[in-house]
Structure formats: C-alpha cells, structure tokens
C-alpha cells in the first residue's frame, strides 16, 4: 500500500480538522480588485491549524496591500505553509518547491516563501538545502512577513523563526478566502507542552498558550452574523485550554469556554479538535451533553492500545485509563461518536502489542480513524532513545490489518443508524453526483441524500438513514 490511510473515502476531507494530509489550499482570486498590487499565491499542508494560520497570513498580507491569486504563474510571491509531522509530509513540500522552481526560472523576480512547521524545524538550514527559497517564517512570526518580503525584494534572504510564549494572533481577523461560507475554524490555543516521544509539534509550534476568551467570543459572534453554521475550535490539545482573566484572575477552562461559545451562538454547531485522553474531564463531557448545539463527536486519539507502548510514547495514560474515558463518554453522552488516530509499528512494538491496538479499536467502536505508520522525526525523544526497528513491510502489513478492523468498526457503528433520523447540515453536492447533497450529522458522519430544490448548502435538514457503507450513511429527506 502506497499511502497513509484514511478509512472513510467519502469524507469531505478538506474541511475535516483531523485529516492530517496534504491539501492544496487555493484562495479565491481577488486580483481583479487591484491591478497594480503585489500578488501572492499560497498552498497549505498539514493539519487544520495550519489552514487556520494561512488565513491569518492572508489577513496580514492583505493589510500590507497584497492581493491573493489562484494562479502561481501570476504571483509575485509564492508561499507554502508546511507540515513536518511525518517524513512524507516533508517530501511533498520539497516536491512542490521543485514545481515552484520552474516558475522562478522564467520569472526570476518571483519570491518563494516557506511558512509553518517545516520552516520552524529546519530554520536557516532550509535556505542552504533549498536554494530557491527566499523567505523562511515560523508559525509565530507571521506578523513579520511583509517586512521579510521587503527584505527579500532587496535581494537578501528573509528569515524569522522566533517562537513566542504569548503570540495567539488574537487581534487578527482571519481572511476566510478559501471558506465555503458554512464552516469555519477558530484557533483557541497554540503550541503543545505534551512532548509525546514520537511528535515534532512541540518543537515546531513551541509552548502551549491559550487565547483570550473575549477575542474568541468576538470571532464566534462575527461568524454567526456572517451566517456561518458550524464552528470548530482548534488546538493540539483543546482540553488543556486555560485562560486567566487579567481583570479578576478567574480561570476559564475548556468546559467553561465551550459553555460560553455554545450560549453565545445557540444556532451554530460547535465542534472542537483535538482532545487528549489525559485531559478530557467529566466536566467537559457534561457540558457537551447539556448543549444541543455542541456536536456529539469527540476525536480522542489513542495512538496505541498497549500500555508499554503508550508509556514509551509518553502519552501519560495507559490502556485502562483510555477505556475508562471511553466508558465515561458512553455513560454521559450516550449518542456520542468517537474517532481516533493510530500509529502502527512504533519502536519495538511486538505482534501481541499490536493486537492490543486492534482490540482497542473494537472496544472503542471508533466511527473514524486516521492510521499511520510510525515515521521517525529528527530531534524527538523517540528518535534519540529508541531505534526505529520495525521493518517497513511489517508496518505496512499492520497498517493494512488496522484498516480492515477499523472499517468493520465503522460499518458496525453505521449499521446501528439505519432507520434513525438525524439533523444534517448540508455542505454541498455529494462527491459522486450533483443530484445528491452531502452533509454531516452531529456525530460527524457524512450523510448523502437526494437533492430537493427547497434546500441549499448551509441549511439544516432532517434525514432518515436508509442504507450505509463503512464510510457513509445514505438517507432520505424527511419533513
Ligand atoms: N495533538 C494531537 C495530534 C497531533 S498530530 C494529539 O495529541 O492527539 C496528528 C497525528 O499524527 C497524531 O495523533 C499521530 O497519530 C500522528 N503522528 C504524529 N507524529 C507521528 C509520527 N512521528 N509518525 C507517525 N504518525 C505521527
Ligand atoms: Fe504531538 Fe502529543 Fe502534542 Fe499531540 S499532544 S501535538 S501528539 S506532542
Ligand atoms: Fe500541524 Fe503538521 Fe505542524 S500536523 S502542527 S502542520 S507538523
């Protein structure tokens, strides 16, 4: 198998906050607005936080007089927002840079800028390794971008990879140029303090910091007024959100934040991602249960079902703890869907230990999983301490087995939905037919159903499930 796998082929991947895949993110073309302005073209890879950051970058550039273009050959500035999570993610970026180089060959004045996690990981080394790159900017330095472009225009390299303890871009209103006008993301925190041994994020995104509650609520209100119907609160570990009100020193935790957001926009669906199993409290679960507009869906990455491996991964919970959290979700929010991320072939993982991961999928009855082969990342704890000793063929075989078990789990979960009626937010045409709409229910399952001219994308409708596959529910509109 050539690719890192996603189970649900019918997922509307681009708007899925947990789809850690590369996507070309093309902003709407606004070049007709100002003919003489400098133009930027941008692509984004990696997680949804990177996509959210690209909207910040677009806003910063727009304030500095740049306009976005969808045509890279027309651009004065080509930007790529990069991901370092696995080796393959970085290979994709290098491949794109070779494409950009072709443009630069016949338009030598074009500037090439690398943003995001790979820029942060490689720093100056990027400029040495990839000669075509003019600008390197880490995730906390986007305010500096216009100045760095000016530097590069003078023929020097522009670099800022300073990681901040405070920056949350709270005052920058994202330019939602690539949005469908229905779903939007709000970053509520940045960075990560967890130091999972396999993970590069703490090095590329720096220390964890939470954003000012009031700036989040203002963004929620703004989106609601602009007719958005779904908001996803984003962070690497949203359950550890903690903001101290400077005026009265009161602490706002994630459960409090969810409550504030849900109450401030009662007709907007609220989602959030990602939850860390060690931090998801009953208080959070009870808050989800008590608001209709908070979606009954939790992405709770387990990574492995084996306690020895979890310890080596430095996840700080074991399989017993994780199962207890699953039980708590089932008890407090009976109709909640749970999804996960899984890494197979982590250092020294035996066949028996791998089987524990398959058992965990069955136990948790995941509706969706993102499954990956372990990829050693330079500088991480695991890279320093443990040899990456599981052969590639073994990783591939384990991944294939995981996919089979996961498909079965999703299918079984979907079968239970036949006959049920769900409220569905229409997102657009289904991938297969323009005679059908696709949308999601609160559980984040994709439902496909025959179109009716009474409804349009962005409407909430009631749909009864008539049939299912492992990735999709099929249904019919009911009044
Ligand atoms: N903050 C989230 C995950 C962020 S990274 C959490 O803690 O759950 C997204 C996913 O990429 C992880 O959940 C993990 O499954 C996967 N991942 C991270 N580092 C990886 C590596 N070195 N090799 C393979 N998969 C990795
Ligand atoms: Fe990486 Fe762990 Fe932080 Fe997630 S919680 S971003 S896996 S270090
Ligand atoms: Fe996201 Fe990739 Fe960075 S997953 S945080 S863009 S390393």
């Amino acid at each position: 198998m050539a690719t890192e796998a996603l189970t649900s082929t019918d997922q509307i991947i681009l708007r899925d906050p947990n789809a850690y895949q590369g996507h070309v993110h093309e902003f709407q073309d606004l070049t007709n607005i100002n003919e003489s302005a400098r133009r930027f073209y941008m692509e984004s890879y990696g997680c949804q936080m990177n996509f959210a950051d690209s909207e910040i970058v677009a806003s910063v550039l727009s304030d500095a007089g740049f306009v976005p273009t969808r045509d890279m050959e027309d651009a004065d500035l080509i930007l790529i927002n990069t991901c370092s999570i696995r080796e393959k993610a970085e290979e994709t970026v290098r491949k794109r840079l070779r494409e950009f180089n072709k443009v630069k060959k016949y338009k030598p004045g074009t500037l090439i800028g690398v943003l995001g996690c790979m820029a942060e990981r490689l720093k100056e080394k990027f400029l040495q390794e990839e000669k075509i790159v003019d600008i390197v900017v880490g995730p906390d330095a986007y305010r500096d971008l216009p100045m760095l472009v000016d530097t590069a225009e003078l023929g020097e390299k522009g670099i800022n990879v300073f990681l901040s303890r405070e920056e949350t871009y709270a005052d920058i209103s994202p330019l939602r140029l690539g949005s469908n006008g229905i779903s939007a993301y709000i970053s509520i925190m940045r960075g990560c303090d967890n130091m999972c041994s396999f993970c590069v994020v703490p090095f590329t995104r720096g220390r964890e910091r939470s954003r000012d509650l009031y700036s989040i609520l203002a963004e929620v209100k703004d989106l609601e007024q602009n007719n958005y119907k779904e908001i996803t609160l984003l962070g690497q570990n949203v359950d550890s959100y903690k903001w101290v009100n400077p005026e009265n020193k009161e602490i706002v935790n994630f459960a409090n934040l969810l409550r504030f957001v849900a109450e401030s926009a009662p007709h907007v669906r609220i989602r959030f991602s990602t939850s860390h199993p060690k931090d998801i409290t009953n208080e959070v679960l009870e808050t989800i249960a008590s608001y209709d507009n908070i979606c009954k869906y939790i992405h709770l990455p387990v990574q492995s079902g084996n306690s020895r491996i979890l310890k080596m991964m430095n996840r700080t919970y074991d399989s017993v703890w994780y199962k207890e959290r699953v039980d708590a979700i089932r008890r407090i929010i009976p109709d909640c869907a749970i999804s996960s991320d899984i890494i197979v072939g982590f250092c020294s993982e035996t066949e028996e230990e791998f089987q524990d991961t398959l058992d965990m999928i069955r136990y948790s009855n995941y509706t969706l999983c993102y499954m990956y082969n372990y990829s050693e990342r330079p500088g991480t704890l695991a890279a320093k301490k443990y040899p990456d000793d599981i052969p590639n063929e073994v990783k591939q075989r384990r991944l294939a087995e995981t996919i089979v078990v996961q498909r079965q789990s999703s299918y079984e979960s979907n079968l239970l939905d036949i006959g049920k009626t769900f409220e569905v937010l229409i997102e657009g045409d289904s991938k297969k037919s323009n005679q059908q709409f696709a949308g999601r229910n609160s559980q984040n399952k994709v439902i496909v159903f025959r179109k009716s001219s009474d409804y349009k994308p962005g409407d909430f409708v009631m749909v009864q499930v008539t049939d299912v596959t492992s990735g999709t529910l099929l249904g019919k509109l009911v009044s």
Side-chain angles (χ1 to χ4, degrees):
M1 211 169 359
T3 55
E4 294 172 290
L6 280 167
T7 44
S8 299
T9 46
D10 277 330
Q11 280 288 324
I12 305 166
I13 293 299
L14 242 168
R15 288 197 293 282
D16 197 319
N18 307 312
Y20 291 88
Q21 303 269 316
H23 292 295
V24 178
H25 180 77
E26 293 184 343
F27 287 117
Q28 197 184 330
D29 201 332
L30 292 181
T31 43
N32 54 344
I33 291 175
N34 185 346
E35 278 299 319
S36 63
R38 287 182 290 179
R39 291 140 202 256
F40 71 96
Y41 167 92
M42 177 153 52
E43 290 180 8
S44 301
Y45 294 84
C47 63
Q48 205 56 53
M49 272 155 276
N50 244 19
F51 280 72
D53 278 3
S54 291
E55 297 181 334
I56 300 283
V57 170
S59 177
V60 168
L61 286 175
S62 156
D63 285 350
F66 288 80
V67 291
T69 170
R70 258 187 267 180
D71 177 5
M72 79 162 98
E73 296 179 11
D74 182 44
D76 303 294
L77 174 64
I78 298 180
L79 296 173
I80 182 161
N81 199 353
T82 61
C83 174
S84 281
I85 201 81
R86 285 167 290 274
E87 200 179 341
K88 250 180 72 184
E90 293 200 349
E91 280 165 15
T92 309
V93 169
R94 296 203 193 262
K95 217 164 97 199
R96 288 308 289 158
L97 286 175
R98 288 197 286 279
E99 291 301 310
F100 299 162
N101 198 22
K102 289 183 193 156
V103 178
K104 200 160 173 158
K105 275 215 170 105
Y106 65 83
K107 264 185 72 190
T110 315
L111 296 176
I112 312 251
V114 181
L115 318 176
C117 291
M118 203 174 161
E120 189 63 51
R121 192 177 85 71
L122 290 165
K123 304 185 171 63
E124 296 78 11
K125 253 176 36 201
F126 218 121
L127 295 169
Q128 290 143 22
E129 285 175 23
E130 301 281 352
K131 296 278 181 265
I132 66 154
V133 173
D134 304 290
I135 301 162
V136 173
V137 194
D140 286 344
Y142 295 143
R143 289 178 200 266
D144 234 12
L145 189 53
M147 194 272 287
L148 295 169
V149 175
D150 291 344
T151 308
E153 275 174 350
L154 296 173
E156 283 176 44
K157 301 284 180 184
I159 177 164
N160 186 345
V161 287
F162 176 72
L163 281 176
S164 156
R165 277 175 175 257
E166 285 94 34
E167 181 63 273
T168 59
Y169 299 113
D171 57 317
I172 296 182
S173 181
L175 202 60
R176 301 186 192 275
L177 293 170
S179 162
N180 63 353
I182 300 168
S183 309
Y185 296 90
I186 300 183
S187 289
I188 61 163
M189 59 200 297
R190 298 181 72 81
C192 182
D193 282 352
N194 281 329
M195 299 304 276
C196 301
S197 66
F198 52 80
C199 185
V200 78
V201 171
F203 305 97
T204 62
R205 295 252 160 188
R207 300 302 299 267
E208 188 176 288
R209 65 221 98 120
S210 296
R211 181 173 159 189
D212 178 319
L213 167 72
Y214 295 106
S215 79
I216 297 171
L217 293 178
E219 207 171 318
V220 169
K221 270 291 171 219
D222 184 57
L223 287 167
E224 187 195 34
Q225 275 157 14
N226 282 296
N227 245 336
Y228 280 81
K229 300 295 169 56
E230 185 175 68
I231 292 173
T232 304
L233 307 176
L234 291 177
Q236 289 296 359
N237 180 8
V238 288
D239 301 82
S240 69
Y241 176 86
K242 187 176 157 199
W243 181 70
V244 185
N245 189 336
E247 276 166 22
N248 55 16
K249 301 290 170 230
E250 256 175 47
I251 293 175
V252 178
N253 66 15
F254 184 58
N256 307 145
L257 172 72
L258 267 182
R259 196 174 286 275
F260 281 123
V261 171
E263 285 178 6
S264 76
H267 302 295
V268 175
R269 271 186 175 178
I270 311 302
R271 298 188 183 278
F272 53 90
S273 189
T274 299
S275 294
H276 193 296
K278 79 174 161 62
D279 293 319
I280 189 154
T281 58
N282 285 1
E283 189 193 3
V284 167
L285 301 181
E286 279 149 15
T287 308
I288 299 169
S290 49
Y291 289 90
D292 280 346
N293 63 327
I294 303 182
C295 288
K296 308 298 177 259
Y297 170 68
I298 301 175
H299 185 60
L300 196 68
V302 69
Q303 313 299 357
S304 163
N306 176 269
S307 295
R308 186 186 75 92
I309 296 292
L310 285 169
K311 195 165 184 356
M312 284 174 69
M313 287 177 162
N314 202 21
R315 289 289 285 183
T316 69
Y317 54 86
D318 61 11
S319 75
V320 175
W321 169 278
Y322 187 90
K323 285 180 179 166
E324 192 282 321
R325 289 291 79 203
V326 170
D327 296 345
I329 295 171
R330 301 273 177 248
R331 193 173 62 243
I332 298 170
I333 325 165
D335 58 342
C336 193
I338 308 176
S339 63
S340 193
D341 292 348
I342 282 170
I343 297 176
V344 301
F346 186 68
C347 316
S348 80
E349 182 189 67
T350 65
E351 284 303 323
E352 292 71 34
E353 289 167 337
F354 166 63
Q355 290 299 322
D356 288 344
T357 296
L358 300 184
D359 286 344
M360 186 60 95
I361 297 176
R362 296 185 192 102
Y363 187 89
S364 309
N365 212 225
Y366 297 128
T367 55
L368 179 75
C369 250
Y370 299 96
M371 297 163 279
Y372 310 103
N373 286 339
Y374 171 59
S375 163
E376 186 178 85
R377 307 311 295 129
T380 56
L381 247 61
K384 287 183 192 148
K385 264 169 83 175
Y386 312 120
D388 179 12
D389 55 0
I390 306 299
N392 219 13
E393 313 81 75
V394 176
K395 285 181 184 168
Q396 293 292 53
R397 198 232 327 125
R398 288 183 190 170
L399 183 63
E401 281 181 40
T402 313
I403 292 166
V404 171
V405 174
Q406 174 49 37
R407 281 231 165 98
Q408 185 61 25
S409 166
S410 306
Y411 185 57
E412 282 167 18
S413 158
N414 288 353
L415 278 178
L416 297 174
D417 290 336
I418 293 182
K420 289 187 192 163
T421 299
F422 293 105
E423 185 184 64
V424 173
L425 173 60
I426 305 176
E427 293 182 7
D429 287 355
S430 92
K431 276 210 312 204
K432 291 190 184 128
S433 159
N434 62 7
Q435 302 301 306
Q436 291 176 325
F437 276 139
R440 288 171 206 252
N441 64 6
S442 169
Q443 287 73 15
N444 203 35
K445 290 186 181 179
V446 175
I447 307 195
V448 170
F449 53 97
R450 191 199 287 269
K451 266 186 184 172
S452 147
S453 56
D454 297 341
Y455 301 109
K456 58 184 188 315
D459 287 344
F460 287 103
V461 288
M462 299 307 288
V463 181
Q464 187 177 33
V465 178
T466 52
D467 199 2
V468 300
T469 67
S470 64
T472 314
L473 309 180
L474 311 167
K476 59 171 199 252
L477 275 165
V478 292
S479 51

